[in-house]
Amino acid sequence: MTKILIVDDEQLIRETLTMILIEKGYTVITAEDGTTGIETFQNERPDMVILDIRLPDMNGLDVLKQIKEQDRDISVIMITAYHDMETTIQAMRFQAYEYIHKPIDAYELEATVDRVAENLRADRRSKTIILPDNPPYKPDKIVGKSRAIQEIFKIIGLISENKAPVLIQGESGTGKELIAKAIHYNSVNRSEPFIPINCSAIVESLLESELFGHEKGAFTGATQRKIGKIEHAGNGTILLDEIGEISPAIQVKLLRFLQEKEFERVGGVERISSNVRVISATNKRLSELIQQDHFRKDLYYRLKVIEINVPPLRDRKEDIPLLLEHLINKINAELQKNVTRISNQVMDAILGYHWPGNIRELENMLTRAVVHSSGTVLQRDSFPDLFNLKNGSETPDKIISLTQLEKEHVIKALQHTNWNKGDACKLLGISRPTLRDKIKKYDLKKNNLPVCRPKASRLDVDPSAF
Ligand SMILES: Nc1ncnc2c1ncn2[C@@H]1O[C@H](COP(=O)(O)OP(=O)(O)OP(=O)(O)O)[C@@H](O)[C@H]1O
Ligand SMILES: [Mg+2]
């Protein structure tokens, strides 16, 4: 029978989980702090552990680490009230099996426990885990509690000890470069260089030499040997940003390099081997470029051994409050400001906006707002773009529904043409039956239209009609 150890200081959680799991046929033992948890683990040798991150005597991550030192194949399900990147990455680095947030969803927990129990029957010896002994370098923080961002944290933790190529796809401003940095600075090779290169900013003829370097005399102007970025990156990471922009010729060279892990400088014959990790990023969909014959399929598969798709901000609005806090703190520090609050109206507008430029747009807008704010609160007047204050048109709270807009538009056309339905149809670009339907739908009658005629039509309208 599968034995589960629950380590949590909250009695209610221990009791509830015990009840749920016993009912499902599991054997359950509990511990209320880290030290007892580790002891119980040694003595009882459970098959899996459910472990709270925040414990009274020690950090759950340290408990995880110690438990893993005793049995590196043990499955540990971490429970936390926090959504921060570092704990998730650490937990995944220390090979936590899964990460569950409080408040605990009983179904999610049960499903996870069942999955572990199933895995227990599989071959445990196939896992090889090396526990790192020093904490990772602190990268620029990625914040977010959406499932998508949490999954990204997990991937960063999981790939920290290998060099598999990573392809990051996402709209502009979604944080692709930030994620690439986090991959590098959380990897075992974080002390090696991280070198980003924007493939679209360099002319094709120079890109090859930028990447692979060149020998003296390789081409006109090559007055001396140049070491390329791949060679510079050594054992570290190279980020090929805007990978969708590279020419077919460079695609071939890159493919060869990825296959052979060797290259030649332009104009050279020496084969140079490299152990660099290649991360590529793009805001285009490479699969579409392949269909249009602009990108090689074989290269695509080589690049996307690990694939990260960063969703646009509008699809993970639950990240916005954390991002606001994070970005405003960052901006305060940069601009020596002290903004601590944001008005409800601004918050609503931010949550309602679709953010085509994603987090970069949010950051830029907040920076402008903080620059323009004098006090500690960000008010509506600091967001002219969001509230469209500059040109004096509608604010989001005044925006009317499409139905209402359509009704008013049909009324305008009818008034303008003095109810000449043929002319109104031409103005509206619709057929007569459609206009008839709309007149019926909105219950429009010549004599009961509201008096909101456009100026131009006034003189055209027979006053007796009203
Ligand atoms: N999850 C996040 N947490 C904190 N900051 C973020 C997050 N995502 C993005 N940012 C910030 O937003 C800005 C844009 O991010 P980044 O440059 O990584 O985007 P990108 O996807 O590479 O954009 P582009 O395609 O335009 O190059 C940066 O200042 C970055 O720090
Ligand atoms: Mg970028």
Side-chain angles (χ1 to χ4, degrees):
M1 197 186 275
T2 310
K3 196 198 283 184
I4 305 176
L5 167 63
I6 299 174
V7 188
D8 197 308
D9 57 327
E10 281 180 60
Q11 193 184 351
L12 186 65
I13 292 196
R14 286 199 308 274
E15 285 175 3
T16 318
L17 295 187
T18 304
M19 211 173 67
I20 295 174
L21 294 172
I22 285 182
E23 208 161 87
K24 292 213 74 182
Y26 293 106
T27 306
V28 180
I29 43 176
T30 62
E32 59 189 24
D33 57 44
T35 322
T36 330
I38 294 167
E39 263 173 40
T40 317
F41 181 78
Q42 278 163 347
N43 300 334
E44 300 275 343
R45 288 287 160 182
D47 300 296
M48 79 176 93
V49 180
I50 298 177
L51 175 61
D52 191 12
I53 288 249
R54 184 180 258 191
L55 292 166
D57 57 337
M58 60 196 288
N59 185 331
L61 287 175
D62 292 329
V63 179
L64 169 67
K65 198 175 164 195
Q66 291 196 32
I67 287 179
K68 281 283 182 179
E69 271 162 7
Q70 291 179 43
D71 177 358
R72 63 186 202 179
D73 287 345
I74 186 78
S75 296
V76 182
I77 301 169
M78 304 295 292
I79 294 188
T80 179
Y82 306 101
H83 298 279
D84 74 302
M85 148 170 151
E86 269 150 40
T87 0
T88 315
I89 291 177
Q90 282 280 39
M92 297 321 282
R93 266 174 76 81
F94 293 158
Q95 305 289 320
Y97 176 79
E98 194 44 284
Y99 208 90
I100 288 182
H101 292 116
K102 282 181 185 170
I104 299 169
D105 173 343
Y107 292 111
E108 187 186 1
L109 182 91
E110 271 178 47
T112 312
V113 169
D114 289 346
R115 217 163 55 228
V116 173
E118 249 176 66
N119 285 350
L120 283 173
R121 289 185 279 276
D123 181 15
R124 301 168 102 204
R125 276 161 308 184
S126 60
K127 293 185 192 167
T128 50
I129 301 148
I130 307 154
L131 292 175
D133 30 36
N134 48 338
Y137 171 84
K138 277 195 173 185
D140 289 2
K141 202 172 161 73
I142 305 176
V143 300
K145 64 172 190 170
S146 58
R147 188 160 276 274
I149 290 292
Q150 295 295 317
E151 285 303 319
I152 290 171
F153 292 165
K154 282 189 197 168
I155 295 176
I156 295 174
L158 286 171
I159 63 176
S160 61
E161 300 189 14
N162 63 47
K163 291 256 173 140
V166 185
L167 171 65
I168 310 175
Q169 299 189 96
E171 286 181 12
S172 187
T174 45
K176 297 185 294 295
E177 182 155 356
L178 195 63
I179 293 167
K181 274 191 205 155
I183 292 173
H184 175 76
Y185 288 111
N186 283 283
S187 77
V188 285
N189 295 303
R190 58 185 156 271
S191 56
E192 302 279 331
F194 169 80
I195 300 191
I197 172 164
N198 186 336
C199 300
S200 72
I202 300 168
V203 289
E204 189 195 330
S205 53
L206 290 182
L207 185 57
E208 184 182 357
S209 136
E210 240 353 83
L211 286 171
F212 301 107
H214 63 244
E215 295 294 346
K216 184 174 173 182
F219 46 83
T220 322
T223 52
Q224 50 190 326
R225 168 187 281 177
K226 178 186 151 143
I227 301 298
K229 301 263 196 234
I230 291 180
E231 219 172 325
H232 268 303
N235 222 1
T237 306
I238 182 153
L239 167 63
L240 305 175
D241 211 351
E242 316 259 9
I243 187 84
E245 305 292 328
I246 62 173
S247 69
I250 305 277
Q251 289 180 33
V252 175
K253 302 234 152 97
L254 201 55
L255 176 66
R256 219 179 114 218
F257 167 63
L258 288 169
Q259 280 167 343
E260 298 168 10
K261 301 211 165 39
E262 278 188 349
F263 63 93
E264 290 134 26
R265 297 188 196 108
V266 178
V269 286
E270 186 194 349
R271 302 283 290 158
I272 302 162
S273 61
S274 162
N275 195 24
V276 73
R277 167 169 346 233
V278 177
I279 303 183
S280 34
T282 175
N283 52 26
K284 303 210 161 131
R285 296 225 53 96
L286 288 189
S287 51
E288 282 167 22
L289 294 184
I290 291 169
Q291 274 172 7
Q292 297 155 6
D293 271 345
H294 292 320
F295 205 85
R296 294 181 69 105
K297 206 175 194 171
D298 43 8
L299 176 58
Y300 173 61
Y301 286 115
R302 284 276 168 183
L303 292 172
K304 67 156 201 158
V305 175
I306 307 291
E307 196 177 358
I308 296 181
N309 291 305
V310 200
L313 184 57
R314 62 186 160 279
D315 290 345
R316 49 181 166 110
K317 289 199 170 163
E318 64 271 41
D319 287 344
I320 286 182
L322 283 177
L323 279 167
L324 285 177
E325 191 185 304
H326 170 73
L327 294 173
I328 291 176
N329 280 338
K330 181 172 159 187
I331 298 164
N332 272 338
E334 280 165 8
L335 302 178
Q336 308 290 313
K337 291 278 209 164
N338 187 29
V339 168
T340 51
R341 284 176 296 155
I342 192 159
S343 81
N344 279 339
Q345 206 183 14
V346 171
M347 188 64 169
D348 288 349
I350 287 178
L351 287 171
Y353 183 57
H354 63 294
W355 299 108
N358 295 293
I359 295 132
R360 181 176 297 110
E361 185 183 11
L362 176 64
E363 188 171 355
N364 289 344
M365 206 182 272
L366 287 171
T367 307
R368 279 199 301 275
V370 173
V371 168
H372 290 112
S373 73
S374 46
T376 59
V377 189
L378 287 186
Q379 299 281 11
R380 171 196 149 99
D381 53 1
S382 300
F383 293 87
D385 295 333
L386 204 54
F387 290 91
N388 232 337
L389 295 179
K390 260 192 226 144
N391 52 18
S393 56
E394 294 97 332
T395 59
D397 39 7
K398 277 196 205 153
I399 288 176
I400 56 171
S401 71
L402 273 181
T403 316
Q404 182 65 21
L405 190 72
E406 185 187 66
K407 179 179 173 184
E408 287 183 14
H409 204 61
V410 175
I411 291 174
K412 270 189 203 163
L414 287 169
Q415 288 179 332
H416 188 76
T417 57
N418 195 19
W419 276 75
N420 180 324
K421 295 195 182 117
D423 289 349
C425 284
K426 271 189 212 137
L427 274 182
L428 293 167
I430 56 176
S431 66
R432 266 177 186 270
T434 310
L435 180 62
R436 260 202 308 278
D437 288 345
K438 302 225 177 281
I439 290 173
K440 201 168 157 210
K441 176 176 167 193
Y442 298 124
D443 194 22
L444 305 181
K445 295 190 181 81
K446 194 171 179 181
N447 291 337
N448 71 354
L449 287 184
V451 191
C452 63
R453 293 160 293 152
K455 277 185 194 136
S457 68
R458 272 209 176 156
L459 296 175
D460 301 336
V461 176
D462 176 6
S464 64
F466 292 91

